[in-house]
Amino acid sequence: MTTPEEHILEVLKGLPVLMTRSHRLFLSIPREDLIKTMNILSSELAIQHLSTITARDKGNDLELLYHFMLQGVVITIKTTCPKNDPTIDSIVTIFPSAILYEREIHDILGIVPRGHPDLRRLVLPDEWVGGYPLRKDWKPPAEQEAEE
Amino acid sequence: MGYVKLPIGPQHPALKEPENFTITLDGERVVNVDIRIGYIHRGIEKLMETRTYTQNLYLVERICGICSYAHVYNFTQNVEEILGLQIPKRAEYIRTLFLELERLHSHFLWLGVAGHEIGFDTLFMYTWQDREVVQDLLEMISGNRVNYAMNAIGGVRRDVSQEHRKKVLESMDYLEKRAEFYKNVAINEKTILARAENVGILKPQVALRLTAVGPTARASGISVDIRKDDPYASYLDTPFEVITTDTNDVLGRVVVRVLEIVESIKIIRYLMEHLPEGDILKKAPRKIPEGESISHTEAPRGEDIHYLHSNGTEKPDRYKVRTPTLANLPATAEMLKETYLADVPIIVAAIDPCMGCMDRVLLLKDGQEKPGELISGEQLRRYGIKWYAERGWNA
Amino acid sequence: MKTPGKMLPKIIGFIFRKPVTVRYPKERLTPPATLRGKMKFHLDRCISCGLCARDCPSGACTMHEIEAKKRPVFDLDYCTFCAQCAESCPKDAIEMTAEFELAHYKKGEAIVK
Amino acid sequence: MFKSLVKWARIKSPWILHMNCGSCNGCDIEILAALIPRLDAERFGVLLKGTPRHADVLVCTGPVTTQMKERLKRVYDQMPEPKFVVVVGQCGSSGGIYKGSYAVEGGIDTVIPVNAYVPGCPPRPDAIADGIIKLLASIKKGGKQ
Amino acid sequence: MERIDILLSIVYLLLFPGFLFLFAFSLFTEYLDRKIYARIQRRVGPPFLQPFADLVKLSAKEDIVPEKAEHFMFTAAPLIGLAAIFAAFLYLPIVSTTGLHSFNGDLVVVLYLLTIPTLAMFLGGWYSGNVFGQKGGMRVASLLFSYEIPFFLALLTPALLQGSWKMADITRFEATHPLEFVVSLLGFFIGLIALQGKLERLPFDIPEAETEIVAGPLVEYSGRRLALFRLARDAEMVVGAGLIAVVFLAGPEPILPLEPVYLSWLVAALVFLLKTLFVIFLLILLKSAVARIRTDQMISFAYQWLIPLTLVQIFIAIIVRFFGGI
C-alpha cells in the first residue's frame, strides 16, 4: 500500500516538490502557473480541503502559501507576486472555501485576487484608512500622520 | 409583513461573543444570512511579530480562551520543529493530557451552551457543574483554570505528580458516568429531539466542498481527525477511535461530541497509566534559526493550523493562524438557509463557534453565495449600518 | 422511550437534597497550592538583572529605581499571571501565591513592589 | 426610609449584562461559571440579562477593539441609571497583553467610567464574585447613587 | 350593618384577598418558582425577599421610553395587563364559595380577562419600535390561539359536567362529587399545559426566547414599566393557577362551618392557597426538564394533540352527563 505522500509525489512527478518532513510537502511555482497547478490538485489528486492561505511580506515580494490537506498530509503551494503589482488569480472557482481566505489576504496585505466575486473592504473597521497592517513597512495610522 | 431584517449580535445573549448575523426573515423563516465577523479582531498576528518567542507563548494562548492549549501546542510544535528539538517523552505525554483535558472541558461547555440555546437551562447547569471537575484538574496541575501557561519551548513547565495522577483517574470514572447520562438525555428527551433532529442539515458532499472541520464534519459522516491522519504529540501510541455519525444534523453533532468525551476519557486513562519517567523540559535557545514550519492539530472544534516563518532573530517573522471556526463558517451559512429563526442559535452553536479564535485577523464574510439574490451584500451592509444608527440598538 | 421530561425522574429528588453550591464568601473553595495568584517579591534576593521585565508578555512587570536600587514593580491590572517572571528570575526572588481575591476600585491600586 | 429601602433593593438585586469587547473568551466563560451551581450568583440576586435596558451592572471583558468601541458606548448609554461597570480580566483593565496592537483601544476605562476592576487572566469565578461583592459594598457605603 | 358590609368590601378589595394580598402572593410565587427551579438545578437559589427587591429596584430606576416607541401605547400596555389580572382575581372564589361578585357566567369573564395580558404584551412589544420587540409581539399574537382554544375548552369540562357557568357552583359541585375530578383529569392536564403556554414559560417561552430575540416584547422596557410587566406575569401565574384550582380542584372547598365566620373564611383561603401552590409546583416541574420548542412545533402540537384531546375530554363529559351524571 502506498502512503498518501507517495501517492502525491507520484502524481506531481516532474514538479519540484520538497519534502521537509513526513506529512509536509512544499511546492514552489511561478504565479502564472497557479490555476494550472490548482486544477491538477483538484482533479488529479481530488483534493477538496483547502486549509488556509497564508501571505507574508518578503521585502520586495509578497509570498503566498496555499495549504491543502489530503489524508493528513499538508501540501503547500508557494508562489510570489511583486509588491508593485500585488495581483494573483483567484482560485475561488476551484476551491469555494478560498473565498474567505482570499478576502483575508486582500485585507491585511493588499493582495488582489483577480476574479474574486466579492472583494469588499474586509480587514479592519469599515472606516479603516491605515493601509495594510501586516506589511513590514506598515506603521500605525498615528505614526503615519506624525511623519507627514 | 414582508421581509424583516433581524440583527443577531454583536451584543446578543445567544452569542457570548460579539459577532453579527443579519438575518432576513419571511415570517419565521430565514431567507438570507449575512455574517459579519471581526468585532474582536485584536491584531494578534501583527503583535506577534513584535514580541519574543517567550512572550508569544502567552500571547498565542490568548487567541482563544476555550481552545487556548491547542494554539500553544501548535506554536511550540512549530518552534521546536525549526529548532530540531526533540522534547522528552514525559513532556509529550503531559501535553497530550492537556490537549485531551481541554477537549473534555470544551465539549462539556458546548453541551451546556447548546442546552442554553434551546432554553434547556437545567442541562446547562448540570453540564457546567460537571465541567468544574475538569477545570479543577486543570487548575490543580497547571495553576490556572483557563489559560494554563503549561508549555515552554522544549517541554512543559509543570510536572504531573503521583497525587495528580490519582485524582485525574478518579475524576475520569465520574465523568464517564455523566457522559453516559447526557447521551441518554440527548437521544431520548423529546423536546431536545424536536429541536435537534433534521435541523441544520449539512450533506457530506457540501461539507467536503466547504471544508467543514472537526465535529461538524464528523457529524456529516466524514472521517477526518488530525489525531489519526497526522499523529502529533503521543497520539501514535494511544488507542482511540474517530467518532462519526451520518445524521448530518444538529443531533449528530451532539452525539459526536458526547461520544468524543468518552474517547477522550479513554485516552486520558491510557496516558495516566503509561506516563513515562524522565525530564519534562529541555533548554531551548532564545534565537530561532531561519526556517518555516506548519503545524496543525485537532482542536476541540476541528483542524487548527498554524504557520511560522522565522528569520533567525528572537522574534518571529510571520505567524499565521487559521482556526476551526473560520473554516466552519461557510458551512454554517449553508446550514442556516431555509431554517426557522428559532433554529438559528442552535445551528450556530452546533459548530461550537469560537469567535475569539477567528477574529485575530479581521474578516468580513457574506453568507450569500450568489450576491444580489435578495439585495446585494453591499447594500445589505450599508442598510445594516444605517439601521443601527437609526435605532440606536446595540449597533 | 422518547418522551418529554426524560430527566425529571432523575432530578426531582434534588429539590430536597442539599445543593452543591459553595456559599462564597462564607464558605470558600480551597484553591490548589499550585494556583498562580498574586505574586510575592523578595527584595533581598533581587539582583536587579531585569530578566523578569524582559520576558513579561504584557508589560505588567517594569523596572523602577526605588531607593537607589533597580527593582521590578508589578501592576496587577496588566498581569496575565503566567508566572514567566518567576521562571525567568535566576535568584527565585519572585514567588506566586494562591491569593486571588484582588478586585479593587481604582486602576493602579493593585501594585506589588 | 424610602431611600434606604431603595438602596437595600439595589444591593440585593444587581442584574448584570455581560459584554465581550474583544476578549479571548476566557473571562466570558468564567463569568458564566460564576452562575452555575458551584457558586450560584443568583444567591446575591444576580440575573444575567440579555438587553441593556434591564441591566444594572455592565460586566465587560476584553481590551476594546476599534470596532467594539462605539458599540460599548452605545450599550452603556442605553442602560438606565443608576448603572455600574465592572471590568473582568487584565486586558479589560488596561489592554494588558494586547497593548500596542493597532486594533485595540486598551482598556474599558478609555471608553466608559469603571467602578471596579477584577484582575486575573482570567480570574477565578470566585474572584469575579468577589468583584461583584466589593462593588455592592461600595454602593452600600455611598459611592455613586 | 351596611357600614360593616362596605368596610368588609374595602378590606376584601384592598387587603385580603384583594390587591395587597395578590401582590404579596405573586411575589412569593415568583420566589418559589425561582427557588425550586434552582434547587432542581442543585443550586441554592435567590433569597426570600428577592422578587420584592427586584421590584423596588426596578421602580427606582430610570425609566426610558425609546424615541422610536409609540409613547402612549408603550406606557399603557403594562397597566392594561396588570389591571385585567387584578380584576380577574376578584372573581375567584377564595374565602367562600361565592367570591365577591359571583354571578352566572363569571368563569367566562375570568377567562376573557386572562387573555388581556397577552394582548397587552403584544401591544407593548409592537409599539416599542424595536425589531426584537415586534418580532416577539408577532410571536405572542400568532401563538395566542394555539393555547387559548385548548385552555378555554379544557376549562369548560367541569362547567359542562355541572351545567353552570358560575365558579361557585362548580366548586360546590366538585366538593360533593369527588369523582368529577377523575372524569376531568385529562382536562386538568391540558389546562396545565395551556396555562404554561399562556404564561410563556418553558417549553413555550417562544415569544421571549432569550437566545433568539433577546427578551421579545420586553426588550425596550426598563424601570417601572418592566416592574409592572413582571408583576403582571407573576399575578397571571397566581390567577391562572388559582383558576385551575377552582375549576378542577374545587377551589376553597370543602368549607368547614366554623364559628365565627371569618375563621371558616381563613381556612377556606388556606385550602385555596395550598391547591394553587400545588398547581404552581406542577408548572415549575414542567419547566425544569424540557427544552424550548419552536413556533411551528407549538402550533402543530396544539392542533394535533391539545385540541383533539380536549374535544375527547368534552365528549367524555357530555356522555357522562347524558347517562345521568356522576
Side-chain angles (χ1 to χ4, degrees):
Chain A
M1 205 186 109
T2 52
T3 59
E5 283 117 318
E6 284 165 4
H7 172 64
I8 294 164
L9 288 173
E10 178 69 35
V11 174
L12 298 180
K13 211 160 47 183
L15 289 168
V17 181
L18 183 78
M19 188 163 161
T20 53
R21 71 165 171 97
S22 74
H23 290 89
R24 297 287 184 278
L25 298 174
F26 289 86
L27 169 62
S28 294
I29 51 161
R31 72 168 158 164
E32 292 77 30
D33 289 353
L34 185 70
I35 294 293
K36 205 176 80 193
T37 320
M38 293 297 158
N39 276 326
I40 295 173
L41 291 179
S42 164
S43 55
E44 289 178 37
L45 278 170
I47 290 179
Q48 284 190 305
H49 190 108
L50 171 67
S51 283
T52 188
I53 305 172
T54 306
R56 75 181 181 92
D57 188 351
K58 275 174 75 177
N60 293 327
D61 295 328
L62 296 168
E63 189 180 44
L64 287 109
L65 299 99
Y66 295 77
H67 308 287
F68 294 92
M69 188 174 72
L70 184 70
Q71 293 166 24
V73 181
V74 180
I75 309 147
T76 304
I77 310 293
K78 275 188 185 179
T79 184
T80 53
C81 61
K83 232 177 193 171
N84 49 26
D85 174 31
T87 55
I88 195 90
D89 290 319
S90 170
I91 59 163
V92 171
T93 45
I94 309 165
F95 298 101
S97 53
I99 190 162
L100 280 168
Y101 309 128
E102 288 190 350
R103 293 175 72 164
E104 182 182 333
I105 58 169
H106 172 240
D107 222 11
I108 54 176
L109 276 138
I111 296 170
V112 183
R114 276 187 305 249
H116 191 285
D118 170 33
L119 262 191
R120 287 179 279 149
R121 153 62 89 202
L122 50 106
V123 180
L124 309 161
D126 298 327
E127 54 284 348
W128 179 262
V129 283
Y132 308 113
L134 261 82
R135 287 200 182 176
K136 291 287 175 198
D137 48 8
W138 178 83
K139 287 193 182 71
E143 278 179 43
Q144 286 175 20
E145 273 169 38
E147 274 173 27
E148 284 159 20
Chain B
M1 56 191 269
Y3 292 145
V4 181
K5 282 193 191 64
L6 199 62
I8 292 199
Q11 215 289 314
H12 189 274
L15 309 161
K16 299 294 172 224
E17 302 130 273
E19 296 311 309
N20 180 0
F21 294 74
T22 302
I23 290 170
T24 312
L25 286 174
D26 176 15
E28 286 277 315
R29 282 197 91 80
V30 177
V31 179
N32 202 359
V33 192
D34 186 34
I35 305 178
R36 172 82 159 91
I37 61 172
Y39 290 95
I40 43 179
H41 168 57
R42 287 153 288 167
I44 288 184
E45 287 183 8
K46 182 75 182 175
L47 214 49
M48 285 187 76
E49 293 172 12
T50 64
R51 305 265 167 101
T52 64
Y53 286 98
T54 318
Q55 290 172 327
N56 276 333
L57 268 178
Y58 306 105
L59 182 57
V60 84
E61 192 159 43
R62 280 156 186 84
I63 287 172
C64 167
I66 303 175
C67 40
S68 59
Y69 194 74
H71 293 297
V72 192
Y73 183 85
N74 267 329
F75 177 75
T76 42
Q77 183 170 291
N78 267 333
V79 177
E80 282 152 14
E81 190 182 325
I82 293 180
L83 277 174
L85 195 69
Q86 185 69 40
I87 72 162
K89 192 108 177 139
R90 189 178 172 88
E92 206 62 281
Y93 267 61
I94 294 174
R95 283 183 180 185
T96 321
L97 170 72
F98 267 76
L99 284 166
E100 286 309 312
L101 280 177
E102 184 174 81
R103 193 180 319 277
L104 271 185
H105 110 76
S106 177
H107 282 356
F108 270 114
L109 176 139
W110 180 83
L111 265 179
V113 171
H116 178 70
E117 301 293 359
I118 54 172
F120 203 156
D121 273 350
T122 311
L123 184 67
F124 166 75
M125 293 290 178
Y126 281 29
T127 45
W128 279 57
Q129 182 63 26
D130 291 333
R131 179 176 162 269
E132 287 297 298
V133 175
V134 189
Q135 294 298 85
D136 282 350
L137 294 180
L138 288 168
E139 189 179 32
M140 178 182 73
I141 302 174
S142 77
N144 202 356
R145 289 163 53 94
V146 173
N147 294 326
Y148 325 112
M150 203 50 193
N151 272 16
I153 294 163
V156 289
R157 291 169 61 189
R158 283 155 187 254
D159 204 355
V160 175
S161 70
Q162 274 309 328
E163 221 174 292
H164 292 162
R165 253 169 82 167
K166 224 177 96 204
K167 191 82 195 296
V168 170
L169 286 170
E170 272 168 27
S171 305
M172 287 308 125
D173 293 339
Y174 171 75
L175 290 175
E176 195 164 32
K177 264 185 237 138
R178 297 303 294 174
E180 201 58 36
F181 171 68
Y182 294 127
K183 196 183 136 202
N184 277 333
V185 169
I187 58 176
N188 286 321
E189 164 68 38
K190 185 84 188 183
T191 43
I192 293 182
L193 289 177
R195 294 300 303 278
E197 235 173 350
N198 292 322
V199 166
I201 296 284
L202 184 68
K203 292 261 160 53
Q205 311 90 296
V206 183
L208 270 176
R209 197 167 59 86
L210 298 175
T211 60
V213 293
T216 313
R218 289 197 283 276
S220 293
I222 303 168
S223 172
V224 49
D225 191 326
I226 315 288
R227 291 178 290 173
K228 267 272 186 277
D229 297 340
D230 180 12
Y232 54 96
S234 58
Y235 284 115
L236 207 55
D237 312 352
T238 15
F240 71 100
E241 267 157 44
V242 179
I243 308 288
T244 55
T245 58
D246 49 7
T247 47
N248 306 343
D249 56 4
V250 172
L251 183 66
R253 282 159 223 153
V254 177
V255 172
V256 163
R257 287 196 173 92
V258 175
L259 293 179
E260 275 185 13
I261 289 177
V262 179
E263 286 299 318
S264 283
I265 291 171
K266 270 194 220 157
I267 298 177
I268 292 172
R269 279 216 188 99
Y270 178 89
L271 290 171
M272 286 294 95
E273 277 154 14
H274 297 82
L275 192 64
E277 294 298 319
D279 285 345
I280 54 164
L281 189 60
K282 260 190 198 166
K283 190 119 181 74
R286 290 183 66 88
K287 282 189 179 159
I288 310 296
E290 196 174 339
E292 63 182 340
S293 162
I294 301 162
S295 162
H296 60 166
T297 52
E298 186 73 21
R301 287 158 186 73
E303 185 204 24
D304 177 21
I305 181 162
H306 287 213
Y307 168 82
L308 167 67
H309 189 274
S310 59
N311 56 3
T313 60
E314 281 188 355
K315 296 169 183 175
D317 180 45
R318 173 83 170 95
Y319 200 80
K320 156 88 186 173
V321 181
R322 198 280 275 131
T323 58
T325 305
L326 186 58
N328 275 331
L329 258 202
T332 316
E334 187 67 32
M335 285 185 252
L336 283 175
K337 273 179 202 155
E338 289 302 304
T339 51
Y340 290 96
L341 168 63
D343 289 331
V344 172
I346 182 70
I347 293 175
V348 173
I351 66 160
D352 202 353
C354 178
M355 310 300 182
C357 298
M358 191 166 65
D359 280 0
R360 86 261 95 81
V361 286
L362 188 70
L363 280 167
L364 183 65
K365 160 78 176 102
D366 178 9
Q368 287 169 286
E369 296 257 284
K370 291 168 276 178
E373 201 175 295
L374 183 71
I375 54 174
S376 84
E378 179 61 24
Q379 274 172 311
L380 195 65
R381 199 170 61 88
R382 288 237 175 86
Y383 177 85
I385 294 166
K386 205 170 106 232
W387 192 92
Y388 277 134
E390 279 169 6
R391 310 294 163 110
W393 203 91
N394 269 358
Chain C
M1 213 187 64
K2 291 168 185 178
T3 49
K6 191 80 190 170
M7 263 166 100
L8 204 52
K10 281 213 170 148
I11 61 179
I12 200 164
F14 287 131
I15 303 176
F16 308 105
R17 261 189 258 165
K18 201 170 167 281
V20 290
T21 307
V22 177
R23 286 164 206 251
Y24 185 89
K26 270 182 233 149
E27 301 166 20
R28 276 157 197 275
L29 292 160
T30 35
T34 46
L35 185 78
R36 300 192 302 263
K38 187 177 177 176
M39 65 284 283
K40 201 168 159 190
F41 176 61
H42 302 277
L43 180 59
D44 48 326
R45 294 185 209 160
C46 179
I47 52 167
S48 309
C49 64
L51 283 175
C52 46
R54 189 190 63 177
D55 279 345
C56 180
S58 59
C61 173
T62 42
M63 298 303 282
H64 287 267
E65 193 152 327
I66 300 170
E67 291 161 9
K69 187 179 178 184
K70 265 200 135 178
R71 50 184 271 197
V73 171
F74 305 89
D75 188 342
L76 296 188
D77 279 333
Y78 286 79
C79 183
T80 57
F81 299 91
C82 61
Q84 179 63 41
C85 47
E87 203 153 288
S88 296
C89 185
K91 292 284 169 193
D92 289 332
I94 303 163
E95 183 189 340
M96 304 305 273
T97 66
E99 191 187 338
F100 63 90
E101 288 146 317
L102 307 166
H104 54 100
Y105 303 116
K106 279 209 183 70
K107 205 160 148 180
E109 263 180 13
I111 284 183
V112 177
K113 283 182 184 173
Chain D
M1 222 286 274
F2 182 68
K3 250 191 175 166
S4 60
L5 178 73
V6 168
K7 202 174 194 181
W8 167 84
R10 220 161 257 170
I11 293 163
K12 286 294 173 193
S13 160
W15 290 358
I16 63 172
L17 173 71
H18 157 224
M19 185 158 179
N20 177 337
C21 307
S23 91
C24 69
N25 285 341
C27 298
D28 308 276
I29 49 178
E30 294 299 84
I31 289 170
L32 283 182
L35 299 173
I36 60 159
R38 161 79 64 97
L39 280 171
D40 188 24
E42 203 179 354
R43 285 181 300 129
F44 311 116
V46 170
L47 281 185
L48 190 63
K49 286 287 167 183
T51 143
R53 296 273 190 227
H54 298 187
D56 309 297
V57 181
L58 183 62
V59 180
C60 297
T61 59
V64 190
T65 57
T66 323
Q67 297 228 50
M68 287 308 283
K69 188 180 166 190
E70 283 305 307
R71 292 172 176 92
L72 173 63
K73 226 185 248 165
R74 203 167 288 164
V75 165
Y76 181 73
D77 289 342
Q78 279 180 4
M79 285 170 63
E81 292 280 352
K83 51 196 169 189
F84 308 94
V85 179
V86 176
V87 170
V88 171
Q90 49 85 17
C91 53
S93 304
S94 61
I97 195 159
Y98 307 116
K99 194 121 193 156
S101 166
Y102 57 88
V104 306
E105 294 293 318
I108 303 288
D109 50 7
T110 57
V111 184
I112 54 173
V114 173
N115 299 85
Y117 298 86
V118 184
C121 192
R124 283 162 59 99
D126 8 6
I128 296 171
D130 173 58
I132 300 275
I133 292 166
K134 279 185 180 156
L135 173 78
L136 296 177
S138 84
I139 300 172
K140 199 172 182 177
K141 259 193 253 153
K144 193 173 126 189
Q145 278 297 314
Chain E
M1 192 61 213
E2 243 181 23
R3 200 175 287 163
I4 290 175
D5 262 3
I6 294 172
L7 200 69
L8 268 179
S9 287
I10 292 175
V11 168
Y12 193 103
L13 264 176
L14 294 180
L15 286 178
F16 183 85
F19 296 146
L20 201 67
F21 170 72
L22 178 60
F23 175 75
F25 190 56
S26 307
L27 293 183
F28 175 68
T29 47
E30 193 198 328
Y31 161 73
L32 211 64
D33 180 21
R34 283 168 66 177
K35 189 79 176 177
I36 293 179
Y37 194 44
R39 288 306 282 267
I40 286 181
Q41 297 173 349
R42 313 183 68 184
R43 295 187 284 133
V44 170
F48 181 68
L49 286 174
Q50 186 61 51
F52 181 61
D54 288 348
L55 195 75
V56 173
K57 177 208 70 178
L58 282 175
S59 319
K61 274 203 90 139
E62 187 191 0
D63 206 353
I64 301 171
V65 178
E67 271 174 39
K68 285 271 162 186
E70 178 81 33
H71 193 280
F72 177 73
M73 287 310 292
F74 186 77
T75 323
L79 287 172
I80 297 171
L82 196 62
I85 294 283
F86 273 78
F89 186 67
L90 289 179
Y91 289 105
L92 290 184
I94 295 166
V95 293
S96 66
T97 41
T98 50
L100 187 60
H101 298 292
S102 187
F103 58 89
N104 201 356
D106 53 3
L107 174 61
V108 181
V109 172
V110 171
L111 282 176
Y112 273 106
L113 283 174
L114 276 183
T115 317
I116 293 178
T118 319
L119 288 175
M121 198 83 160
F122 164 68
L123 289 175
W126 186 257
Y127 285 107
S128 68
N130 181 301
V131 71
F132 289 103
Q134 290 177 348
K135 197 77 220 164
M138 285 291 288
R139 285 180 168 195
V140 170
S142 60
L143 292 179
L144 184 65
F145 293 102
S146 59
Y147 50 77
E148 262 338 311
I149 296 171
F151 190 65
F152 270 52
L153 291 177
L155 292 187
L156 280 184
T157 330
L160 275 174
L161 277 171
Q162 203 271 333
S164 164
W165 293 95
K166 198 169 169 182
M167 281 186 281
D169 290 347
I170 294 172
T171 51
R172 171 66 41 78
F173 178 76
E174 276 170 359
T176 47
H177 301 79
L179 259 183
E180 191 271 351
F181 177 68
V182 181
V183 176
S184 57
L185 194 63
L186 188 59
F188 174 66
F189 282 112
I190 292 168
L192 267 187
I193 292 172
L195 179 63
Q196 191 85 336
K198 240 174 129 54
L199 295 171
E200 284 154 18
R201 286 152 61 85
L202 272 169
F204 309 118
D205 66 337
I206 301 160
E208 47 190 293
E210 193 203 41
T211 46
E212 294 155 32
I213 48 173
V214 189
L218 299 182
V219 120
E220 286 288 351
Y221 279 94
S222 61
R224 257 194 322 278
R225 294 186 189 94
L226 179 64
L228 288 178
F229 256 129
R230 285 176 68 89
L231 189 62
R233 173 67 50 81
D234 296 339
E236 195 182 355
M237 182 150 88
V238 172
V239 177
L243 186 66
I244 287 190
V246 164
V247 172
F248 291 103
L249 305 176
E253 301 270 5
I255 288 176
L256 307 168
L258 289 173
E259 281 297 331
V261 71
Y262 55 80
L263 198 66
S264 84
W265 290 357
L266 220 62
V267 174
L270 212 64
V271 171
F272 172 80
L273 287 188
L274 283 179
K275 286 177 179 171
T276 311
L277 286 180
F278 172 69
V279 173
I280 289 172
F281 180 68
L282 290 182
L283 290 179
I284 298 169
L285 283 192
L286 185 58
K287 167 180 160 183
S288 63
V290 285
R292 181 191 311 123
I293 60 174
R294 268 193 327 243
T295 319
D296 61 312
Q297 286 167 340
M298 169 147 184
I299 290 172
S300 64
F301 171 68
Y303 284 95
Q304 279 176 13
W305 292 98
L306 279 189
I307 294 176
L309 280 177
T310 344
L311 292 176
V312 168
Q313 168 70 76
I314 286 179
F315 189 63
I316 294 172
I318 290 172
I319 292 201
V320 168
R321 194 165 154 75
F322 185 74
F323 287 107
I326 318 161

